[in-house]
Amino acid sequence: MTDSPRSGAAVAAPGAARSSAEARQALDLLDTAVGAMGGEMRAGQHEMVRQVSEAIRTGDHLLVQAGTGTGKSLAYLVPLIAHAMDSDRPSVVSTATLALQAQIVGRDLPRLLDAVRPALARPVDVALLKGRSNYVCLHKTGGGFPEEDAPDTLFSLGEDAAPHPAPASGGAPASALGREVVRLREWAEETTTGDRDDLVPGVSDRAWRQVSVSSMECLGAARCPVAQECFSERARAAAADADIIITNHAMLAISAFEGLAVLPEYDVVVIDEAHELHDRVTGAVSGQLSASMVSAAATALRRHASIGTAALDTAAAAFESASELLSSGLLPGGLPDDVEQSLSQVRDAARAALSDTKTEGKSEADVDGGRQVARSRVTLVFELAERILAASDLNEVVWASRPSTFTPGSGYEQPDESSPATLNVAPLSVAGRLREGLFEDHTVILTSATLAIGSEFGPVAGSLGLSGPGAPAWTGVDVGSPFDYPRQGVLYVAKDLPKPERGTSDAQLAELLTLLTASRGGALGLFSSKRAAEEAAEALRPKVDFEILCQGDSSLSALVTRFADEPDTCLFGTMSLWQGVDVPGSSCRLVVIDRIPFPRPDDPLMTARTRAVARNGGNGFMSVSATHAAVRLAQGAGRLIRAAGDRGVVAVLDSRLANARYGGFLRAALPPFWATTDRETVTGILERLSGR
């Protein structure tokens, strides 16, 4: 079936059109690669190569849903390699996660290029490009920036405060943080990339901040004395000369929203894990401002720029006093008058401080790292204050937040209203800016295992700016999956359980125990909150004779490795497990989802977006909350079948999936498992799967 892309659903059947010369060239490369790597050609992979090649040729945007096991990375890398032979601009591949980024750079592309090298007219250059703070700063490790007396909780929200490590007798660092910093400085002299992900074992965020700088703090290539050796600058130079650049969604967001040249000029971009693009872009362009951030900026000015900060100190105090009375949550009526006045004071004081510390015309020796750090902090404060004050004109959302604590019986962590408030700002919608900054000037291919709900690509396409008047042309294609879902998997919905309330109910725990007992473990438990996962693990461990691991017991990678290696061990956790676990085989024969993953009812940004849709005559719940839940539910269910030999059950302990009016909409996003609501049937299946 093929519908108009303007209608929001364009689903092409494999082989629906004759291949162009460009597509045939890419398909020949695919044949070469598959043969050289000893693999097997998949129908969906073949069709995806053809569709991606056609999109590159025509310049039309493409949404490709490719089920697990399709081999989609190979299917978009092959056309990009073919395109590189004739293009004078690089192509970009953007991922949401470091894991996929590492897989592409470390495994997929090297194997593919080695396989097709004889068929290429020239070598293909590949570059990995990340944000500046991901690389160690040699100027900082060499003493060009000041030591931090304490980790700045004001500019890195959520970090715990601890004193700066002092050397012990004999010069050895006395704390774990100190030892990490010493190791980082030694590593900086040996590494060839300076990339944090190449440091094994890793270090804490607090330690990494001691040896890295943000883009604002960086002196820039023109003034930095070690610019020639700078790892970040080297990565950017390599990207400028590359045929294919591997980066992340945050870099795309900065390029699209800020107009900064963080990426070289490119003509084609493939966005993998595209179901994450909307949220990752939103996160990258959101901001937070607190009174303590303003005070920290003033402190940095006094220490490193030697100027008076009375105006900024006064503004910080006024802002703190005004924000103490703010209730946590959305501020739909705008800022209260006293908060707005204090924020204006902050903006004006920050502007004056920036004027007093201008560095234009100063020699390199006069522009030290400490002064740059101070200016970067004041710049951030100024920009955030100005942005929050203009939020209504910019169509942005503002809300107040505080650190949270868990209240028994609530089911959620609740803000501690006695703590200082932080003001948050985020775009009401990223669609318009993505349309202007990403889709207008590039050919964009978006791919994921979960882009359509049923056969409809419209909800995801619309959230990214591909619908409405003036939207660019696009095509949506579902190339299917090599798996036989009705034969390999079962969807069980516990329709007789009470509608879930906050927290974990006794009925849910009893149902979960029945399922775990029948399967004799081998279960991945996906929970709506960390607290729910912990409560379930604590309640069930004494009642079963197999291990139940819980997220937080160890590193995520260690937990997943143990879960994969021990067939009867269970693993319970929250959102990072919903999308980040790939465990084929019998170790994952049961996936349990405690509730439909709707956004939290008190999520300010989701609330604002829901209200905006309703004001425009739409169904806010379906457009925002239900669409969000459908994509994440599909991601969670997708943990079950990872290989052709996998068998298992996805059990949803939320009766609304069977009984609510929107249940059909959500089920349409799931793989086409064989479905049942009968407990005895599913326990019998699990017993057979467990080998009993």
Side-chain angles (χ1 to χ4, degrees), residues 37-270:
M37 292 188 291
E40 181 180 345
M41 179 74 71
R42 304 179 179 97
Q45 189 178 55
H46 187 280
E47 177 63 11
M48 183 170 171
V49 168
R50 193 183 69 78
Q51 292 284 351
V52 172
S53 299
E54 289 297 313
I56 294 173
R57 181 181 68 83
T58 63
D60 286 346
H61 306 304
L62 176 68
L63 280 70
V64 186
Q65 179 161 280
T68 304
T70 303
K72 68 178 185 299
S73 60
L74 190 67
Y76 62 68
L77 289 171
V78 164
L80 293 185
I81 291 171
H83 177 63
M85 296 298 100
D86 302 316
S87 177
D88 58 359
R89 284 188 176 185
S91 300
V92 171
V93 175
S94 176
T95 74
T97 62
L98 292 174
L100 181 56
Q101 204 173 66
Q103 175 187 313
I104 293 171
V105 174
R107 188 190 73 183
D108 295 349
L109 257 176
R111 292 180 61 210
L112 176 57
L113 289 173
D114 187 57
V116 301
R117 185 174 291 113
L120 300 179
R122 62 172 179 81
V124 174
D125 291 327
V126 178
L128 175 64
L129 185 59
K130 303 179 181 180
R132 195 174 293 275
S133 61
N134 289 279
Y135 301 94
V136 67
C137 174
L138 293 175
H139 188 39
K140 194 166 189 177
T141 58
F145 282 75
E147 296 285 350
E148 301 287 353
D149 288 340
D152 205 335
T153 59
L154 317 170
F155 283 80
S156 51
L157 298 175
E159 293 291 334
D160 58 312
H164 185 70
S169 57
S175 70
L177 176 60
R179 289 189 292 274
E180 285 185 321
V181 172
V182 169
R183 182 162 68 88
L184 279 167
R185 287 175 174 161
E186 293 172 348
W187 174 76
E189 297 177 0
E190 303 168 355
T191 177
T192 58
T193 66
D195 186 340
R196 180 178 182 178
D197 291 319
D198 292 340
L199 175 66
V200 180
V203 296
S204 65
D205 290 345
R206 292 171 58 214
W208 185 254
R209 284 198 300 274
Q210 301 291 324
V211 298
S212 64
V213 296
S214 67
S215 57
M216 278 190 176
E217 294 169 334
C218 178
L219 296 180
R223 289 186 292 182
C224 180
V226 294
Q228 295 299 315
E229 293 80 36
C230 174
F231 293 115
S232 178
E233 291 298 323
R234 287 183 178 181
R236 288 168 184 258
D241 294 333
D243 296 299
I244 300 174
I245 302 166
I246 313 299
T247 189
N248 55 55
H249 294 354
M251 293 286 279
L252 275 187
I254 294 169
S255 176
F257 274 72
E258 307 298 336
L260 301 177
V262 293
L263 295 171
E265 288 291 329
Y266 61 92
D267 55 356
V268 177
V269 55
V270 174

Side-chain angles (χ1 to χ4, degrees), residues 16 30 34 39 100 149 189 215 226 237 268 335 357-358 373 522 539 572 574 602 635 665 675:
L30 178 65
V34 171
L100 181 56
D149 288 340
E189 297 177 0
S215 57
V226 294
V268 177
L335 298 172
T357 56
K358 283 182 178 178
V373 168
F572 290 2
T574 184
D602 58 353
Q635 283 286 314
F665 175 81

Side-chain angles (χ1 to χ4, degrees), residues 297-646:
T299 299
L301 282 174
R302 288 193 298 273
R303 181 178 300 164
H304 304 305
S306 302
I307 67 167
T309 61
L312 202 55
D313 289 328
T314 300
F319 181 33
E320 181 172 16
S321 177
S323 61
E324 282 179 351
L325 301 178
L326 274 177
S327 297
S328 299
L330 189 64
L331 301 174
L335 298 172
D337 290 343
D338 54 347
V339 175
E340 184 173 1
Q341 291 171 7
S342 67
L343 205 54
S344 297
Q345 281 184 261
V346 169
R347 178 198 59 196
D348 296 343
R351 180 192 288 122
L354 289 172
S355 178
D356 292 343
T357 56
K358 283 182 178 178
T359 57
E360 286 81 356
K362 294 183 180 293
S363 68
E364 182 180 289
D366 292 331
V367 184
D368 59 40
R371 190 181 188 89
Q372 188 72 10
V373 168
R375 281 184 56 82
S376 73
R377 294 187 172 187
V378 177
T379 299
L380 181 61
V381 166
F382 169 73
E383 291 179 348
L384 284 169
E386 191 168 54
R387 181 179 171 187
I388 294 170
L389 286 167
S392 59
D393 296 331
L394 299 174
N395 204 27
E396 295 204 299
V397 179
V398 178
W399 70 95
S401 64
R402 289 177 170 83
S404 297
T405 57
F406 183 77
T407 303
S410 68
Y412 294 113
E413 291 188 339
Q414 302 294 330
D416 178 5
E417 297 293 342
S418 65
S419 301
T422 294
L423 287 181
N424 303 263
V425 60
L428 180 62
S429 170
V430 298
R433 295 293 293 274
L434 281 175
R435 183 191 295 185
E436 296 171 7
L438 181 64
F439 291 103
E440 276 192 1
D441 299 321
H442 311 99
T443 300
V444 184
I445 293 111
L446 302 110
T447 185
S448 168
T450 50
L451 275 184
I453 299 173
S455 61
E456 290 291 326
F457 288 83
V460 171
S463 71
L464 299 177
L466 291 174
S467 66
W474 60 274
T475 301
V477 179
D478 186 350
V479 299
S481 169
F483 301 147
D484 188 349
Y485 283 111
R487 291 181 178 272
Q488 291 184 249
V490 174
L491 172 65
Y492 167 65
V493 181
K495 73 177 182 66
D496 295 327
L497 286 181
K499 178 182 175 181
E501 301 294 337
R502 292 187 172 186
T504 304
S505 70
D506 291 340
Q508 274 190 324
L509 291 174
E511 187 81 14
L512 180 53
L513 178 60
T514 297
L515 296 171
L516 292 182
T517 302
S519 70
R520 294 182 59 83
L524 178 65
L526 303 177
F527 290 84
S528 53
S529 69
K530 187 170 184 288
R531 174 68 60 172
E534 291 171 343
E535 287 179 351
E538 183 179 353
L540 296 178
R541 278 169 177 157
K543 300 179 180 179
V544 297
D545 58 0
F546 41 80
E547 192 79 25
I548 297 179
L549 308 175
C550 190
Q551 189 174 349
D553 292 346
S554 182
S555 70
L556 192 59
S557 60
L559 290 171
V560 173
T561 298
R562 187 174 170 192
F563 174 59
D565 290 344
E566 301 173 3
D568 293 338
T569 291
C570 300
L571 174 58
F572 290 2
T574 184
M575 191 50 67
S576 53
L577 296 183
W578 284 67
Q579 303 185 79
V581 176
D582 185 5
V583 178
S586 62
S587 289
C588 185
R589 53 189 177 269
L590 171 62
V591 172
V592 180
I593 296 173
D594 73 330
R595 66 174 64 208
I596 298 168
F598 289 119
R600 282 182 52 152
D602 58 353
D603 184 306
L605 187 53
M606 289 295 191
T607 299
R609 287 172 171 170
T610 298
R611 292 175 180 175
V613 171
R615 283 197 301 271
N616 291 321
N619 186 321
F621 170 76
M622 295 301 295
S623 297
V624 179
S625 295
T627 297
H628 176 279
V631 172
R632 276 147 189 78
L633 192 64
Q635 283 286 314
R639 300 310 96 198
L640 181 68
I641 306 298
R642 311 299 296 178
D646 287 355

